[in-house]
């Protein structure tokens, strides 16, 4: 006999699955929901009643009749509540308010100064508190969802290691929950982006998927047979710290010749500045009025499209090294597709094209057949949508083991 706790758990799980079906297919009838999730009409009707009571679902319109009365349709009520997504990288913290469809309603970006020691938790709490002051009703906040670069133990809510922010074993989840008394979720940034693609993006049907982020750092998240591959300590996916040159430059992780030193924005920006200071001409000099510290990924992409020789030479090298690393991932995981996200991949179709060409040339045909690299589904909001997806995955329990 099932214990009461077990039955309640099954009931809540069924509600999450039914809510996800309504999210994806609404307006939809209760009978259609029952067919899709293979549950009894009574179970579905009870769950939908609970969801309507909680205002997560609303009735609206009628469907086609199959002989009796026209069925009343139900759909998600995405703005009944909100959540806060926080995306943290080495140079900035982005905080956004999102609805239940992962739509960004408001967003703030806070820059972080390099090489300055500070109390990270205290700084983040102040930023979130300031953001909350512009929210209409905190009682409608479902939770805070945080993604951060580095090695994260999502179950313990611990940032185990982030060399750029000098973080070791930081209990970030507990610190945020203690400060705001709001449920908080935390995971690696690239895992969040993968969840976003699986739950809300253009690649929801893929069961073997790799998401690669290229920005301040370089990370990867692997979906293997519909499950995120996390590794023993949650550290799987440190793609940027795979070695491609044992005689290469030192990395802040303590190794040498890491991929990150060739394709991250810090590496690209450093090379741009070095080449210009060495006398190479570039449209970027005029764009920043000779203040090279103002060169951004957006200006780099603009120079590429304008045919700037230096920018395109650096792009070629970047695509080669990135493509080489991706070929290794392809041979290890044999994915259906790869998604490139992050500020260097955003609105950069030439990078996507060159990486696809590299894979086509160097990867095993058995692994590269029908494989293609695509851009993120969420453009400039991909980071915070990824953050929000940690919480939304718990709410909707969308198809991910």
């Amino acid at each position: 006999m099932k214990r009461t706790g077990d039955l309640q758990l099954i009931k809540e799980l069924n509600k999450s699955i039914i809510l996800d079906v309504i999210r994806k297919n609404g307006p939809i009838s209760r009978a259609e929901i029952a067919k899709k999730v293979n549950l009894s009409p009574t179970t579905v009707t009870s769950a939908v009643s609970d969801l309507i009571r909680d205002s997560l679902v609303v009735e609206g319109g009628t469907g086609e009749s199959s002989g009796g009365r026209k069925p009343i349709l139900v759909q998600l009520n995405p703005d009944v509540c909100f959540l806060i997504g926080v995306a943290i990288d080495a140079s900035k913290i982005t905080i956004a308010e999102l609805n239940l469809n992962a739509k960004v309603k408001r967003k703030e970006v806070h820059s972080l100064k390099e090489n300055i020691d500070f109390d990270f938790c205290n700084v983040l709490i102040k930023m979130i508190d300031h953001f909350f002051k512009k929210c209409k009703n905190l009682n409608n906040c479902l939770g805070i969802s945080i993604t951060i670069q580095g090695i994260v133990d999502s179950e313990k809510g611990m940032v185990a290691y982030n060399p750029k922010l000098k973080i070791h074993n930081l209990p970030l989840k507990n610190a945020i929950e203690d400060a705001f008394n709001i449920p908080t979720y935390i995971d690696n940034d690239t895992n969040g982006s993968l969840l976003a693609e699986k739950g809300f993006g253009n690649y929801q049907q893929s069961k073997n998927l790799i998401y690669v982020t290229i920005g301040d750092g370089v990370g990867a998240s692997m979906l293997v047979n519909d499950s995120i591959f996390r590794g023993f300590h949650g550290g799987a996916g440190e793609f940027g710290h795979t070695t491609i040159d044992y005689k290469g430059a030192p990395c802040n992780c303590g190794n040498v010749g890491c991929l990150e030193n060739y394709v991250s924005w810090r590496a690209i920006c450093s090379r741009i500045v070095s080449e210009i200071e060495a006398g190479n001409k570039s449209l970027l000099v005029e764009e920043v009025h000779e203040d090279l510290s103002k060169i951004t990924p957006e200006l780099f992409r603009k120079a590429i499209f304008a045919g700037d020789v230096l920018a395109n030479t650096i792009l070629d090298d970047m695509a080669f090294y990135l493509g080489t690393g991706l070929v290794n991932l392809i041979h290890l995981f044999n994915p259906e597709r790869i998604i490139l996200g992050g500020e260097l991949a955003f609105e950069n179709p030439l990078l996507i094209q060159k990486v696809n060409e590299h894979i086509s040339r160097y990867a095993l045909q058995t692994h590269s057949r029908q494989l293609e690299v695509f851009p993120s589904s969420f453009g400039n909001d991909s980071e915070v949508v990824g953050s929000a997806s940690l919480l939304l995955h718990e709410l909707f329990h969308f198809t991910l083991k």
Side-chain angles (χ1 to χ4, degrees), residues 80-150:
V80 64
C81 50
F82 68 92
L83 62 145
I84 300 298
V86 182
I88 303 166
D89 63 34
S91 63
K92 67 184 184 302
I93 294 176
T94 306
I95 306 176
E97 177 185 330
L98 302 95
N99 72 5
L100 299 186
N101 276 328
K103 181 180 179 181
V104 176
K105 313 294 280 188
R106 181 166 63 94
K107 183 168 74 170
E108 292 180 0
V109 181
H110 302 268
S111 296
L112 295 177
K113 295 181 180 179
E114 288 188 55
N115 302 318
I116 294 181
D117 290 326
F118 57 90
D119 183 338
F120 182 81
C121 274
N122 189 44
V123 168
L124 180 58
I125 287 168
K126 287 182 178 179
M127 288 180 182
I128 296 173
D129 186 56
H130 178 265
F131 190 87
F132 270 147
K133 288 176 180 177
K134 297 180 183 178
C135 294
K136 292 181 179 179
N137 186 353
L138 287 185
N139 290 328
N140 292 333
C141 180
L142 281 180
I144 301 169
S145 208
I146 301 172
T147 52
I148 185 170
Q149 295 174 341

Side-chain angles (χ1 to χ4, degrees), residues 225-238:
N225 295 330
D226 240 354
S227 297
I228 289 183
F229 180 77
R230 294 182 179 274
F232 184 40
H233 294 297
E238 286 298 314

Side-chain angles (χ1 to χ4, degrees), residues 176-195:
I176 300 300
E177 288 186 336
D178 289 345
F180 298 105
N181 195 29
I182 293 175
T184 300
Y185 304 78
I186 181 172
D187 206 337
N188 170 269
D189 61 336
T190 317
N191 286 343
S193 295
L194 182 61
L195 280 174

Side-chain angles (χ1 to χ4, degrees), residues 34-292:
K35 289 179 183 178
K36 285 183 177 292
V37 297
N38 197 27
L39 291 171
S40 73
T42 302
T43 299
V44 170
T45 298
S46 174
V48 170
S49 295
D50 288 346
L51 294 169
I52 291 174
R53 182 200 63 209
D54 295 338
S55 299
L56 290 169
V57 166
V58 293
E59 292 183 331
T62 55
E64 294 295 325
S65 172
S66 58
R69 290 185 300 174
K70 290 185 176 181
I72 298 174
L73 305 181
V74 293
Q75 61 189 29
L76 182 69
N77 185 14
D79 296 311
V80 64
C81 50
F82 68 92
L83 62 145
I84 300 298
V86 182
I88 303 166
D89 63 34
S91 63
K92 67 184 184 302
I93 294 176
T94 306
I95 306 176
E97 177 185 330
L98 302 95
N99 72 5
L100 299 186
N101 276 328
K103 181 180 179 181
V104 176
K105 313 294 280 188
R106 181 166 63 94
K107 183 168 74 170
E108 292 180 0
V109 181
H110 302 268
S111 296
L112 295 177
K113 295 181 180 179
E114 288 188 55
N115 302 318
I116 294 181
D117 290 326
F118 57 90
D119 183 338
F120 182 81
C121 274
N122 189 44
V123 168
L124 180 58
I125 287 168
K126 287 182 178 179
M127 288 180 182
I128 296 173
D129 186 56
H130 178 265
F131 190 87
F132 270 147
K133 288 176 180 177
K134 297 180 183 178
C135 294
K136 292 181 179 179
N137 186 353
L138 287 185
N139 290 328
N140 292 333
C141 180
L142 281 180
I144 301 169
S145 208
I146 301 172
T147 52
I148 185 170
Q149 295 174 341
I151 298 174
V152 179
D153 187 328
S154 60
E155 291 187 5
K156 295 180 179 178
M158 180 87 65
V159 183
Y161 180 57
N162 182 310
K164 296 183 181 69
L165 294 174
K166 302 175 183 176
I167 293 174
H168 290 83
N169 297 322
L170 176 68
L172 187 57
K173 172 182 166 69
N174 287 345
I176 300 300
E177 288 186 336
D178 289 345
F180 298 105
N181 195 29
I182 293 175
T184 300
Y185 304 78
I186 181 172
D187 206 337
N188 170 269
D189 61 336
T190 317
N191 286 343
S193 295
L194 182 61
L195 280 174
E197 296 291 351
K198 186 64 179 174
F200 300 91
N202 300 326
Y203 316 103
Q204 296 180 34
Q205 303 308 313
S206 298
K207 294 187 176 183
N208 292 277
L209 185 67
I210 294 178
Y211 190 105
V212 174
T213 302
I214 318 161
D216 285 331
V218 180
S221 183
M222 290 75 65
L223 189 73
V224 180
N225 295 330
D226 240 354
S227 297
I228 289 183
F229 180 77
R230 294 182 179 274
F232 184 40
H233 294 297
E238 286 298 314
F239 182 43
H241 296 294
T242 52
T243 302
I244 61 171
D245 183 0
Y246 281 108
K247 297 181 180 179
C251 181
N252 57 20
C253 74
N255 205 347
V256 295
C258 290
L259 177 65
E260 196 165 285
N261 288 348
Y262 296 84
V263 302
S264 69
W265 172 238
R266 292 188 178 200
I268 297 302
C269 188
S270 177
R271 182 174 169 191
I272 291 170
V273 171
S274 296
E275 295 280 2
I276 290 173
E277 289 178 344
N280 288 301
K281 297 184 182 299
S282 174
L283 298 172
L284 287 165
V285 177
E286 185 177 342
E287 284 282 349
V288 298
H289 305 290
E290 300 187 4
D291 183 356
L292 301 185

Side-chain angles (χ1 to χ4, degrees), residues 3-21 37 39 43 46-51 53-54 56 392-398:
R3 292 172 298 173
T4 303
D6 293 336
L7 292 172
Q8 185 62 29
L9 177 63
I10 292 169
K11 183 179 178 182
E12 291 301 318
L13 181 60
N14 285 341
K15 278 173 59 176
S16 291
I17 294 170
I18 289 167
L19 183 61
D20 193 39
V21 170
V37 297
L39 291 171
T43 299
S46 174
V48 170
S49 295
D50 288 346
L51 294 169
R53 182 200 63 209
D54 295 338
L56 290 169
L392 292 173
H393 174 239
E394 294 295 320
L395 177 65
F396 294 120
H397 199 78
F398 44 76

Side-chain angles (χ1 to χ4, degrees), residues 273-343:
V273 171
S274 296
E275 295 280 2
I276 290 173
E277 289 178 344
N280 288 301
K281 297 184 182 299
S282 174
L283 298 172
L284 287 165
V285 177
E286 185 177 342
E287 284 282 349
V288 298
H289 305 290
E290 300 187 4
D291 183 356
L292 301 185
S293 67
K294 293 183 178 179
I295 295 174
T296 63
E298 182 181 3
L299 292 176
F300 175 56
R301 296 193 307 266
K302 184 177 178 180
I304 291 168
F305 299 143
D308 183 74
V309 174
L310 176 60
N312 277 277
T313 298
I314 292 174
L315 178 73
D316 286 342
D317 291 343
M318 176 186 174
F320 175 82
Y321 288 117
L322 178 60
T324 300
L326 290 177
V327 166
N328 289 330
L329 287 184
I330 290 165
H331 290 166
L332 283 170
F333 292 100
N334 190 202
E336 297 167 55
R337 48 178 55 89
I338 295 173
I339 304 167
L340 289 188
E343 54 192 354

